[in-house]
């Protein structure tokens, strides 16, 4: 019993001793008497609020508890401390787990109780609530309340329902703001908007409008439209309606300021009616530019209508100060006739923000191109480069090549701020800049900004190591993660070779640290936990560093770094004493996303062993399926809530266990998804629910709330998508009647509609359909139909049939234009081979990187584009590195002979080529030979960054070549080589090389196995059998897949049983076929998360988690003592 609880107990016992006569209710203040009666009636929430209210008033005195006890004594009410404490704790806990019930109870509060609840929830700054010796950990309680999406939804709804009647409108707006900003879920939807007050004082209305503007991007299109309607309704009331007629508008300058981003929902005809005086006033306002900078979803029609009104209101649209006030409206500027170059440059300068627009990038590209031509009137590109803003992104490679190094140097301050560069453009500009600077120094590189990614790997490696160390720790460090693995390796290798690595390693931050090799870490000293807090670690690094640092540090110091949790082994978890484990468990829970399924399994077993009654329910998922039987009743909510946030993929259950988990999820939901509360609780678990369950058990109300969550799902099955489609049609009706907002909200699910339905939508909302199609990645059969509709829509709208003068066979053939290529993105796959062949050379040169990024082109289309490249760039030996890089997938069409003709001296060009995954072995050999010959190297002279840059091309090496790789270079690159999926003979040879770095395979530990990845797939039968079973979880999952079946079968049943859930799930069908019955049984145990020597298994005698904590019936005699109830509640330290 805690010291505080004992004090309460003594206090109450002493009060009992002092009671010598009966007292009646007249001795208690009315509010306290009301609280006591509420306790007897089981209305604990009401009673708590009345006590808090009473305690803050003058009537509360030191002898109040004595009077309360006397009253209970007079009522002859019997109680026990333990039953009361348990019942109250369970009641309040369950209330937080039952947000619908909480909503009902909050709605039944009287006005004074509601005011008290709002005061303590939203305006109290106290960490603890104290009444004498009675203390409530209020900070922790509120944290628990606000972490629950369901409870947050309840607070939002009850605030809308009761607040504006009980508190001032400003206070209510403040409460709504806190609830909506704190929650990850947006509770605003069109139905709720109807509950917003339509009579508000000016300050409250402005504050609430400001809140809705801040939440704009988190709000669905339909809700945005509904909020616009609500704001319009109030603004119209404030407008003098006596002056209103059909030819004038209610829209004033002030209402435009209040609407903010919602102004994009104004109808076109309303904009055209806005008084010119009001437009003039609005544009003159200093904050107008800031507001117009945020209208990302404005349409060209609305933007041009506003530009027209601004022009008519007396502003000179060619005046540069006016242009600076237009915000994103400049993206739709269309009056280019007789424009001066200075005006064009001013417009281009403002257009740097236009890439934030939702769509219309093709039209914008065209507009910038026209302005570029005007801006360069009577001047050369060299003269104007620094004043063209991000329009320079539209320059072709040949135009950039024509620039002088001096011009690039002088314009670098502008060029380094531009986004949207292609790889080839960055290479050209970096080369020009550095050719002017002559020497590559820290100062020169720091001027380059984003252009730093264009510096060649060899150039970086040739820099002074002290200068490189400055780059790592200086302002340029933010760009390091954008460098290719080869470039990063080039920097690290030079610093490591300089002997200054120990002092530099602590300055390497973020993801860049993951490139430091395990063997490189071994050579350094002076590590401490604080230096690791800003670094991302690979598992191999974390395993080594945790073991190293654990000799001189407490677990709390290591686990609190975050990333080091990746290095906690099962043995370490099991060796922790109970207090250490329970006190540090929060660090594992916070960093759950960093843990492997095996580590989670170890945590679950440890928790079950030391405290099975308090194990977090989601951990039961990591134990064998039968442990799920403990998830019942009050454990269901925390189980679903935590699993909904973490996701099942993190815990990686086998298909068998996944079915059991989904069955448990459905049980916890009472076999239905009734409303938005269930959707809140499910989180991303909704992505895994079977189609049949969605079909029969999900209400339309729930579907409306779930649509946003479904859109976030990564891998929905065809059956799930089909069911979602039917639900959407039930919810919104026929797609032919959908509004623009509905279409936007449905988003990528429009791909499920028939071609006829899609054609109707494409005709009504072509820009929206285009916008949605842009979000779709590689073409699958489900999306192919949508992309074909998009292709037809764009083709029909442009109607371009071009006559080619260069080719007779192109007469009458439509050729792709730049505008179409930019709009179509992945839908470019529908160009025929002949149409691609007839493309204008200039169009190809401008858009080669876009075309090279299309994942769906077939070999004939790629060949046509390759031939176009030859036509535009000349013979293959003349192709520059930046041109080779820009090809993307088009390079796959190069034959072995053509590859040998290319100049492949640059590891950066080869590095980009190696990222393509569809090369044949002969093509890979040709690339490898081409690189060696053109760079004048042999396999024996390759540096680690060459090996990293070659990537998958290394799979084309033969055993003799692999043997000749230098050990030091191999050890620096081994983690990257371990990511490759090479053939077994190649992996075997890499394994031999790995032994030259880490010693004989039989001596490898967990960190080495993690470091070498797929190379472990090259182990032979004897080596594999020799591994201790405790090391089996440290094989990387990809390595398990690469072990040949005839070798895999050599594993003992004990080794297989200890693979861990994730590795067991990677065992292939052919590997399974080679296993005997006992090995298959062991595999099943590993998949299920079982242990061969389990610390505890379910039985009827085992204590079930949180057993016995069910609420007692309302009004039961044991719940009738206010004094002990008060102690019980205030010593609970909610949130339990």
């Amino acid at each position: 019993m805690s010291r505080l609880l004992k004090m309460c107990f003594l206090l109450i016992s002493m009060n009992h001793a002092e009671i010598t006569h009966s007292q009646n209710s007249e001795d208690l203040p009315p509010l306290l008497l009301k609280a006591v009666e509420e306790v007897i009636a089981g209305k604990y929430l009401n009673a708590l609020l009345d006590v808090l209210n009473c305690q803050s008033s003058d009537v509360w005195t030191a002898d109040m508890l004595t009077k309360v006890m006397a009253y209970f004594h007079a009522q002859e009410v019997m109680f026990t401390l333990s039953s009361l404490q348990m019942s109250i704790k369970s009641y309040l806990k369950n209330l937080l787990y039952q947000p619908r019930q909480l909503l009902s109870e909050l709605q039944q509060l009287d006005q004074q109780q509601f005011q008290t609840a709002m005061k303590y929830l939203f305006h109290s700054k106290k960490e603890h609530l104290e009444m004498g010796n009675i203390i409530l950990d209020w900070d922790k309680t509120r944290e628990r309340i606000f972490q629950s999406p369901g409870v947050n939804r309840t607070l939002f709804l009850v605030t809308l329902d009761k607040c504006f009647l009980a508190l001032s409108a400003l206070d209510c707006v403040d409460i709504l703001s806190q609830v909506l900003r704190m929650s990850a879920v947006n509770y605003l939807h069109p139905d709720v908007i109807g509950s917003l007050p339509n009579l508000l004082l000016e300050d409250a209305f402005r504050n609430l409008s400001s809140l809705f503007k801040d939440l704009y991007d988190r709000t669905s299109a339909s809700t945005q439209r509904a909020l616009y309607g609500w704001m319009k309704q109030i603004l119209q009331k404030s407008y003098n309606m006596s002056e209103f007629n059909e030819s004038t508008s209610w829209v004033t300058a002030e209402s435009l300021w209040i609407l903010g981003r919602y102004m994009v929902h104004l109808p076109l005809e309303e904009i055209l009616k806005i008084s010119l005086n009001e437009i003039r006033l609005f544009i003159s306002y200093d904050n107008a530019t800031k507001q117009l900078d945020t209208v990302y979803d404005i349409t060209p029609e609305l933007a041009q209508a506003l530009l027209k009104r601004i022009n008519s209101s007396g502003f000179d649209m060619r005046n540069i100060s006016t242009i600076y006030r237009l915000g994103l409206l400049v993206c739709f500027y269309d009056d280019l006739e007789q424009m001066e170059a200075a005006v064009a440059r001013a417009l281009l300068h403002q257009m740097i923000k236009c890439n934030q627009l939702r769509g219309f990038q093709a039209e914008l590209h065209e507009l910038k191109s026209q302005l570029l031509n005007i801006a360069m009137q009577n001047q050369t590109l060299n003269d104007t480069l620094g004043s063209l803003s991000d329009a320079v992104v539209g320059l072709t490679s040949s135009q950039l090549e024509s620039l002088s190094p001096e011009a690039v140097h002088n314009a670098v301050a502008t060029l380094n701020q531009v986004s949207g560069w292609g790889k080839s453009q960055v290479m050209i500009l970096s080369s020009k800049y550095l050719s002017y600077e002559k020497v590559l120094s820290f100062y020169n590189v720091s001027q380059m900004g984003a252009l730093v990614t264009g510096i060649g790997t060899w150039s970086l490696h040739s820099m002074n190591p002290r200068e490189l160390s400055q780059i790592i720790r200086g302002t340029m460090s933010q760009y390091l993660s954008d460098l290719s693995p080869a470039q990063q390796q080039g920097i690290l290798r030079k610093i490591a070779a300089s002997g200054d690595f120990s002092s530099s390693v602590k300055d390497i931050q973020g993801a860049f640290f993951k490139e430091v090799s395990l063997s490189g870490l071994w050579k350094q000293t002076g590590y401490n936990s604080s230096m690791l807090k800003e670094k991302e670690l690979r598992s191999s690094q974390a395993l080594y560093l945790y073991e190293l640092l654990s000799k001189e540090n407490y677990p709390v110091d290591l686990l609190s770094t975050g990333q080091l949790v990746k290095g906690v082994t099962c043995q370490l978890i099991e060796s922790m004493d109970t207090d250490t484990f329970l006190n540090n468990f929060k660090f594992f829970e916070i960093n759950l996303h960093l843990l492997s399924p095996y580590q989670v399994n170890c945590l679950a077993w440890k928790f079950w062993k030391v405290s099975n009654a308090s194990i977090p329910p989601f951990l039961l998922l990591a134990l064998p399926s039968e442990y799920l039987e403990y998830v019942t009743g009050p454990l269901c909510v925390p189980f679903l809530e935590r699993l909904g946030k973490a996701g099942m993929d993190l815990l990686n259950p086998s298909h068998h266990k996944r079915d059991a988990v989904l069955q448990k999820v459905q049980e916890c939901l009472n076999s239905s998804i009734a409303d938005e509360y269930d959707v809140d609780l499910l989180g991303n678990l909704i992505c895994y629910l079977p189609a049949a369950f969605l079909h029969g058990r999900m209400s339309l109300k729930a579907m409306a709330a779930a649509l946003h969550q479904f859109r976030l799902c990564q891998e929905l099955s065809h059956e799930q998508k089909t069911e979602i489609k039917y639900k959407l049609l039930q919810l919104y009706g026929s797609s032919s009647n959908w509004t623009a907002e509905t279409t936007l909200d449905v988003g990528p699910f429009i791909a499920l509609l028939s071609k006829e339905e899609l054609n109707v939508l494409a005709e009504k909302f072509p820009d929206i359909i285009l916008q949605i199609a842009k979000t779709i990645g590689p073409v699958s059969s489900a999306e192919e139909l949508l992309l074909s509709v998009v292709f037809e829509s764009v083709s029909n709208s442009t109607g371009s049939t071009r006559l080619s003068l260069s080719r007779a066979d192109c007469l009458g053939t439509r050729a792709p234009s730049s505008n179409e290529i930019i709009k179509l993105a992945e839908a470019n796959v529908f160009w025929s081979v002949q149409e691609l062949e007839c493309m204008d050379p200039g169009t190809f040169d401008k858009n080669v990187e876009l075309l090279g990024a299309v994942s769906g082109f077939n070999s004939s289309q790629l060949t046509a584009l390759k031939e176009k490249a030859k036509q535009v760039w000349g013979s293959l030996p003349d192709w520059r590195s930046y041109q080779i890089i820009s090809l993307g997938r088009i390079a796959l069409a190069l034959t072995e002979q053509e590859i040998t003709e290319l100049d492949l001296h640059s590891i950066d060009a080869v590095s980009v080529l190696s990222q393509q995954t569809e090369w044949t072995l002969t093509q890979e050999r040709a690339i490898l030979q081409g690189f060696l010959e053109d760079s004048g190297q042999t396999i024996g002279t390759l540096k680690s960054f060459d090996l990293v840059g070659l990537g998958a091309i290394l799979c084309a090496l033969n055993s003799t070549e692999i043997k000749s790789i230098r050990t030091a270079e191999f050890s620096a690159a081994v983690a990257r080589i371990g990511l490759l999926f090479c053939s077994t003979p190649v992996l075997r040879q890499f394994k031999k090389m790995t032994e030259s770095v880490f010693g004989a395979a039989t001596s490898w530990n967990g960190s080495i196995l993690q470091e070498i990845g797929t190379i472990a797939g090259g182990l032979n039968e004897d080596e594999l059998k020799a591994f201790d079973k405790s090391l089996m979880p440290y094989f990387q999952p990809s390595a398990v897949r690469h072990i040949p079946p005839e070798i895999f079968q050599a594993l003992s049943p004990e080794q297989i049983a200890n693979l861990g859930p994730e590795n067991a799930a990677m065992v292939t069908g052919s590997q399974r076929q080679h296993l005997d019955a006992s090995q298959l049984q062991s595999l099943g145990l590993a998949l299920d998360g079982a242990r061969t020597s389990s610390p505890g298994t379910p039985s009827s005698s085992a204590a079930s988690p949180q057993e016995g904590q069910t609420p007692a019936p309302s009004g039961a005699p044991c719940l009738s003592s206010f004094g002990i109830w008060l102690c019980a509640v205030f010593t609970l330290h909610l949130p339990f």
Side-chain angles (χ1 to χ4, degrees), residues 857-873:
F857 278 138
N858 61 34
S859 57
S860 302
Q861 291 169 309
L862 292 175
T863 301
L865 290 168
K866 175 196 72 176
E867 294 302 324
K868 180 61 64 175
K870 288 182 182 178
Q871 179 193 337
V872 177
W873 297 335

PDB file of all heavy atoms in Angstrom, residues 857-873:
ATOM      1  N   PHE A 857       6.523   1.556 -69.547  1.00  0.00           N
ATOM      2  CA  PHE A 857       6.910   1.411 -70.958  1.00  0.00           C
ATOM      3  C   PHE A 857       7.379  -0.020 -71.231  1.00  0.00           C
ATOM      4  O   PHE A 857       8.156  -0.591 -70.462  1.00  0.00           O
ATOM      5  CB  PHE A 857       8.038   2.375 -71.314  1.00  0.00           C
ATOM      6  CG  PHE A 857       7.593   3.777 -71.630  1.00  0.00           C
ATOM      7  CD1 PHE A 857       8.308   4.872 -71.158  1.00  0.00           C
ATOM      8  CD2 PHE A 857       6.460   4.011 -72.410  1.00  0.00           C
ATOM      9  CE1 PHE A 857       7.916   6.178 -71.450  1.00  0.00           C
ATOM     10  CE2 PHE A 857       6.065   5.309 -72.715  1.00  0.00           C
ATOM     11  CZ  PHE A 857       6.782   6.389 -72.226  1.00  0.00           C
ATOM     12  N   ASN A 858       6.933  -0.598 -72.361  1.00  0.00           N
ATOM     13  CA  ASN A 858       7.412  -1.929 -72.744  1.00  0.00           C
ATOM     14  C   ASN A 858       8.705  -1.802 -73.552  1.00  0.00           C
ATOM     15  O   ASN A 858       9.152  -0.694 -73.869  1.00  0.00           O
ATOM     16  CB  ASN A 858       6.328  -2.710 -73.501  1.00  0.00           C
ATOM     17  CG  ASN A 858       5.917  -2.011 -74.790  1.00  0.00           C
ATOM     18  OD1 ASN A 858       6.747  -1.377 -75.457  1.00  0.00           O
ATOM     19  ND2 ASN A 858       4.641  -2.098 -75.152  1.00  0.00           N
ATOM     20  N   SER A 859       9.277  -2.931 -73.914  1.00  0.00           N
ATOM     21  CA  SER A 859      10.594  -2.909 -74.577  1.00  0.00           C
ATOM     22  C   SER A 859      10.549  -2.199 -75.922  1.00  0.00           C
ATOM     23  O   SER A 859      11.509  -1.510 -76.303  1.00  0.00           O
ATOM     24  CB  SER A 859      11.122  -4.338 -74.755  1.00  0.00           C
ATOM     25  OG  SER A 859      10.199  -5.115 -75.491  1.00  0.00           O
ATOM     26  N   SER A 860       9.443  -2.321 -76.667  1.00  0.00           N
ATOM     27  CA  SER A 860       9.330  -1.642 -77.974  1.00  0.00           C
ATOM     28  C   SER A 860       9.305  -0.127 -77.799  1.00  0.00           C
ATOM     29  O   SER A 860       9.951   0.609 -78.577  1.00  0.00           O
ATOM     30  CB  SER A 860       8.059  -2.096 -78.697  1.00  0.00           C
ATOM     31  OG  SER A 860       8.059  -3.486 -78.880  1.00  0.00           O
ATOM     32  N   GLN A 861       8.562   0.343 -76.796  1.00  0.00           N
ATOM     33  CA  GLN A 861       8.503   1.792 -76.540  1.00  0.00           C
ATOM     34  C   GLN A 861       9.877   2.307 -76.102  1.00  0.00           C
ATOM     35  O   GLN A 861      10.326   3.375 -76.540  1.00  0.00           O
ATOM     36  CB  GLN A 861       7.450   2.089 -75.466  1.00  0.00           C
ATOM     37  CG  GLN A 861       6.007   1.858 -75.927  1.00  0.00           C
ATOM     38  CD  GLN A 861       5.033   1.900 -74.763  1.00  0.00           C
ATOM     39  OE1 GLN A 861       5.229   1.225 -73.751  1.00  0.00           O
ATOM     40  NE2 GLN A 861       3.973   2.680 -74.894  1.00  0.00           N
ATOM     41  N   LEU A 862      10.545   1.535 -75.223  1.00  0.00           N
ATOM     42  CA  LEU A 862      11.871   1.956 -74.751  1.00  0.00           C
ATOM     43  C   LEU A 862      12.870   2.007 -75.909  1.00  0.00           C
ATOM     44  O   LEU A 862      13.706   2.913 -75.986  1.00  0.00           O
ATOM     45  CB  LEU A 862      12.378   0.986 -73.661  1.00  0.00           C
ATOM     46  CG  LEU A 862      11.609   1.010 -72.327  1.00  0.00           C
ATOM     47  CD1 LEU A 862      12.131  -0.084 -71.403  1.00  0.00           C
ATOM     48  CD2 LEU A 862      11.717   2.378 -71.653  1.00  0.00           C
ATOM     49  N   THR A 863      12.764   1.048 -76.821  1.00  0.00           N
ATOM     50  CA  THR A 863      13.654   1.038 -77.989  1.00  0.00           C
ATOM     51  C   THR A 863      13.407   2.262 -78.863  1.00  0.00           C
ATOM     52  O   THR A 863      14.354   2.892 -79.359  1.00  0.00           O
ATOM     53  CB  THR A 863      13.457  -0.256 -78.812  1.00  0.00           C
ATOM     54  OG1 THR A 863      13.738  -1.371 -77.973  1.00  0.00           O
ATOM     55  CG2 THR A 863      14.363  -0.289 -80.027  1.00  0.00           C
ATOM     56  N   ALA A 864      12.135   2.621 -79.051  1.00  0.00           N
ATOM     57  CA  ALA A 864      11.796   3.814 -79.849  1.00  0.00           C
ATOM     58  C   ALA A 864      12.405   5.065 -79.215  1.00  0.00           C
ATOM     59  O   ALA A 864      12.942   5.939 -79.920  1.00  0.00           O
ATOM     60  CB  ALA A 864      10.276   3.950 -79.946  1.00  0.00           C
ATOM     61  N   LEU A 865      12.338   5.149 -77.875  1.00  0.00           N
ATOM     62  CA  LEU A 865      12.891   6.318 -77.176  1.00  0.00           C
ATOM     63  C   LEU A 865      14.422   6.317 -77.227  1.00  0.00           C
ATOM     64  O   LEU A 865      15.051   7.375 -77.343  1.00  0.00           O
ATOM     65  CB  LEU A 865      12.404   6.326 -75.717  1.00  0.00           C
ATOM     66  CG  LEU A 865      10.903   6.634 -75.550  1.00  0.00           C
ATOM     67  CD1 LEU A 865      10.442   6.327 -74.129  1.00  0.00           C
ATOM     68  CD2 LEU A 865      10.605   8.094 -75.894  1.00  0.00           C
ATOM     69  N   LYS A 866      15.036   5.142 -77.166  1.00  0.00           N
ATOM     70  CA  LYS A 866      16.500   5.045 -77.294  1.00  0.00           C
ATOM     71  C   LYS A 866      16.938   5.556 -78.668  1.00  0.00           C
ATOM     72  O   LYS A 866      17.912   6.318 -78.780  1.00  0.00           O
ATOM     73  CB  LYS A 866      16.941   3.599 -77.095  1.00  0.00           C
ATOM     74  CG  LYS A 866      18.445   3.378 -77.327  1.00  0.00           C
ATOM     75  CD  LYS A 866      18.784   1.907 -77.494  1.00  0.00           C
ATOM     76  CE  LYS A 866      18.304   1.355 -78.838  1.00  0.00           C
ATOM     77  NZ  LYS A 866      18.718  -0.046 -79.052  1.00  0.00           N
ATOM     78  N   GLU A 867      16.201   5.139 -79.726  1.00  0.00           N
ATOM     79  CA  GLU A 867      16.540   5.589 -81.083  1.00  0.00           C
ATOM     80  C   GLU A 867      16.355   7.092 -81.212  1.00  0.00           C
ATOM     81  O   GLU A 867      17.102   7.768 -81.916  1.00  0.00           O
ATOM     82  CB  GLU A 867      15.693   4.839 -82.111  1.00  0.00           C
ATOM     83  CG  GLU A 867      15.971   3.341 -82.203  1.00  0.00           C
ATOM     84  CD  GLU A 867      17.434   3.048 -82.539  1.00  0.00           C
ATOM     85  OE1 GLU A 867      18.041   3.816 -83.318  1.00  0.00           O
ATOM     86  OE2 GLU A 867      17.973   2.051 -82.015  1.00  0.00           O
ATOM     87  N   LYS A 868      15.358   7.628 -80.505  1.00  0.00           N
ATOM     88  CA  LYS A 868      15.135   9.086 -80.512  1.00  0.00           C
ATOM     89  C   LYS A 868      16.333   9.783 -79.862  1.00  0.00           C
ATOM     90  O   LYS A 868      16.790  10.840 -80.327  1.00  0.00           O
ATOM     91  CB  LYS A 868      13.833   9.408 -79.774  1.00  0.00           C
ATOM     92  CG  LYS A 868      13.468  10.887 -79.707  1.00  0.00           C
ATOM     93  CD  LYS A 868      13.274  11.530 -81.071  1.00  0.00           C
ATOM     94  CE  LYS A 868      12.102  10.938 -81.835  1.00  0.00           C
ATOM     95  NZ  LYS A 868      11.877  11.662 -83.111  1.00  0.00           N
ATOM     96  N   ALA A 869      16.873   9.181 -78.774  1.00  0.00           N
ATOM     97  CA  ALA A 869      18.042   9.759 -78.105  1.00  0.00           C
ATOM     98  C   ALA A 869      19.234   9.803 -79.061  1.00  0.00           C
ATOM     99  O   ALA A 869      19.980  10.794 -79.100  1.00  0.00           O
ATOM    100  CB  ALA A 869      18.384   8.933 -76.852  1.00  0.00           C
ATOM    101  N   LYS A 870      19.404   8.742 -79.834  1.00  0.00           N
ATOM    102  CA  LYS A 870      20.501   8.724 -80.824  1.00  0.00           C
ATOM    103  C   LYS A 870      20.318   9.838 -81.846  1.00  0.00           C
ATOM    104  O   LYS A 870      21.280  10.522 -82.245  1.00  0.00           O
ATOM    105  CB  LYS A 870      20.542   7.377 -81.547  1.00  0.00           C
ATOM    106  CG  LYS A 870      21.032   6.205 -80.717  1.00  0.00           C
ATOM    107  CD  LYS A 870      21.041   4.955 -81.627  1.00  0.00           C
ATOM    108  CE  LYS A 870      21.462   3.718 -80.903  1.00  0.00           C
ATOM    109  NZ  LYS A 870      21.420   2.530 -81.781  1.00  0.00           N
ATOM    110  N   GLN A 871      19.060  10.005 -82.266  1.00  0.00           N
ATOM    111  CA  GLN A 871      18.763  11.038 -83.269  1.00  0.00           C
ATOM    112  C   GLN A 871      19.080  12.432 -82.723  1.00  0.00           C
ATOM    113  O   GLN A 871      19.610  13.288 -83.437  1.00  0.00           O
ATOM    114  CB  GLN A 871      17.275  10.949 -83.645  1.00  0.00           C
ATOM    115  CG  GLN A 871      16.822  11.989 -84.663  1.00  0.00           C
ATOM    116  CD  GLN A 871      15.300  12.069 -84.759  1.00  0.00           C
ATOM    117  OE1 GLN A 871      14.589  11.125 -84.429  1.00  0.00           O
ATOM    118  NE2 GLN A 871      14.800  13.211 -85.202  1.00  0.00           N
ATOM    119  N   VAL A 872      18.777  12.655 -81.425  1.00  0.00           N
ATOM    120  CA  VAL A 872      18.933  13.991 -80.830  1.00  0.00           C
ATOM    121  C   VAL A 872      20.374  14.244 -80.390  1.00  0.00           C
ATOM    122  O   VAL A 872      20.912  15.333 -80.577  1.00  0.00           O
ATOM    123  CB  VAL A 872      17.970  14.152 -79.625  1.00  0.00           C
ATOM    124  CG1 VAL A 872      18.161  15.515 -78.951  1.00  0.00           C
ATOM    125  CG2 VAL A 872      16.515  13.989 -80.064  1.00  0.00           C
ATOM    126  N   TRP A 873      21.024  13.228 -79.797  1.00  0.00           N
ATOM    127  CA  TRP A 873      22.337  13.442 -79.191  1.00  0.00           C
ATOM    128  C   TRP A 873      23.503  12.977 -80.060  1.00  0.00           C
ATOM    129  O   TRP A 873      24.669  13.167 -79.695  1.00  0.00           O
ATOM    130  CB  TRP A 873      22.426  12.710 -77.846  1.00  0.00           C
ATOM    131  CG  TRP A 873      21.449  13.216 -76.816  1.00  0.00           C
ATOM    132  CD1 TRP A 873      20.874  14.450 -76.754  1.00  0.00           C
ATOM    133  CD2 TRP A 873      20.937  12.475 -75.690  1.00  0.00           C
ATOM    134  NE1 TRP A 873      20.046  14.540 -75.669  1.00  0.00           N
ATOM    135  CE2 TRP A 873      20.053  13.339 -74.992  1.00  0.00           C
ATOM    136  CE3 TRP A 873      21.125  11.187 -75.212  1.00  0.00           C
ATOM    137  CZ2 TRP A 873      19.375  12.941 -73.835  1.00  0.00           C
ATOM    138  CZ3 TRP A 873      20.470  10.795 -74.061  1.00  0.00           C
ATOM    139  CH2 TRP A 873      19.599  11.655 -73.378  1.00  0.00           C
TER     140      TRP A 873
END
